[in-house]
Amino acid sequence: MKVEVLTKTENGNIQKEIITKIKDLINYKNLEPGDKLPSERMLAEKFGVSRSNLREAIQKLEFYGILRSMPQSGTFIENIGVTAINGMLDDILRLDDPDFKSLVETRILLELKIARLAALRRTDRDLEEMRTALDAYNTKVRAGEDAIEEDLLFHLAIAKAAKNSTMNTFMLVITPGIITNFEKYHVCDKNQSLMGIQEHEDIYEAIKNQDPKLAKAKMKVHFKVLYQYCYNI
């Protein structure tokens, strides 16, 4: 069996092509809010694409609130007007992949708020997950190994503790792009990773002690190098 490997650009082009065809289908069939789309199998055959690529496009439109998938029932158009749907689809098709600096800037803005909410809402289970990720990070850094993934897993555990599903989703969306580009842009060096051990501990303790103001302040200290990278200060 031949496995087709697509580049990020090729996959992005396929996604835009599928979204364009879904838009045309909605308009050609005069589909209204609440109407059901044809099955994934039928759409994949009609569009001449794989079901996995079609599913990714549908998931993207779900994320933006245009479609809604219901188990055992199918995929439906959300209850928003056709004019609004067309405008939103046009905007989505114009979107470019965010550059790395934009991802980092978004992460800073999100996590300052997330740290505060996590301190207010965290549970004992959340603390356990943070501690596990933090210990894994500490072990790798002290061994001189790369710990980017462990670092971000700690931050994702904090996002989960904030109990805000939208913020958590945004973190999950931007994290892969950060992981794949962190070393490429040389944002942090090994000394920064060692400093990160204490900075992470400070954030963890503030959240553990349910001190939202201190948690936000310690997160801001942790992001000092990222601030310098984004804003040239």
Side-chain angles (χ1 to χ4, degrees):
M1 180 188 298
K2 180 181 178 182
V3 179
E4 184 178 8
V5 179
L6 298 176
T7 66
K8 185 175 180 180
T9 299
E10 289 171 335
N11 189 63
N13 289 337
I14 290 174
Q15 294 299 305
K16 288 187 176 182
E17 179 184 341
I18 294 172
I19 291 173
T20 298
K21 289 179 177 179
I22 290 175
K23 176 176 181 282
D24 292 341
L25 177 71
I26 291 172
N27 290 314
Y28 178 72
K29 294 289 187 180
N30 293 318
L31 297 178
E32 298 288 339
D35 285 350
K36 181 180 178 180
L37 294 182
S39 68
E40 285 187 4
R41 180 183 60 78
M42 292 178 63
L43 286 177
E45 291 177 358
K46 181 179 180 64
F47 296 163
V49 299
S50 70
R51 290 183 68 173
S52 62
N53 281 328
L54 176 70
R55 194 170 295 115
E56 287 178 11
I58 289 175
Q59 288 173 346
K60 185 171 186 177
L61 294 181
E62 283 186 274
F63 176 77
Y64 286 108
I66 294 173
L67 299 179
R68 180 179 75 260
S69 291
M70 299 178 64
Q72 311 303 322
S73 298
T75 302
F76 298 82
I77 301 173
E78 279 287 13
N79 291 315
I80 51 179
V82 174
T83 301
I85 287 175
N86 277 302
M88 292 170 70
L89 288 170
D90 287 338
D91 288 341
I92 292 169
L93 291 168
R94 284 194 293 266
L95 286 175
D96 294 321
D97 291 328
D99 60 85
F100 181 62
K101 187 172 285 188
S102 294
L103 288 173
V104 173
E105 184 175 42
T106 302
R107 179 189 172 191
I108 291 172
L109 295 172
L110 270 176
E111 289 211 62
L112 292 179
K113 183 67 173 180
I114 283 171
R116 183 179 180 280
L117 291 177
L120 292 169
R121 300 172 178 175
R122 62 86 178 151
T123 64
D124 289 343
R125 176 59 182 164
D126 292 325
L127 289 176
E128 290 174 8
E129 292 186 11
M130 284 181 232
R131 188 72 254 173
T132 298
L134 189 50
D135 289 344
Y137 173 84
N138 294 348
T139 298
K140 276 201 167 184
V141 169
R142 290 194 174 104
E145 299 175 16
D146 178 88
I148 291 174
E149 290 190 25
E150 288 74 17
D151 181 6
L152 287 168
L153 283 173
F154 172 66
H155 287 272
L156 288 175
I158 295 174
K160 184 178 177 182
K163 303 295 186 289
N164 183 300
S165 60
T166 302
M167 286 185 176
N168 195 31
T169 297
F170 279 142
M171 282 292 292
L172 290 170
V173 168
I174 67 176
T175 293
I178 292 174
I179 288 177
T180 56
N181 287 287
F182 223 94
E183 287 188 335
K184 176 181 176 182
Y185 291 97
H186 306 290
V187 178
C188 300
D189 56 24
K190 289 185 178 180
N191 290 331
Q192 186 63 34
S193 295
L194 288 169
M195 290 173 59
I197 291 177
Q198 186 58 54
E199 291 171 355
H200 282 160
E201 292 288 351
D202 291 342
I203 295 167
Y204 173 81
E205 287 298 322
I207 293 173
K208 180 180 178 181
N209 294 328
Q210 296 185 302
D211 187 334
K213 186 175 181 180
L214 184 61
K216 181 179 179 180
K218 292 300 183 181
M219 185 68 77
K220 191 169 184 178
V221 170
H222 181 52
F223 283 155
K224 179 180 178 181
V225 172
L226 295 185
Y227 268 99
Q228 292 172 341
Y229 175 77
C230 284
Y231 306 118
N232 298 315
I233 55 176

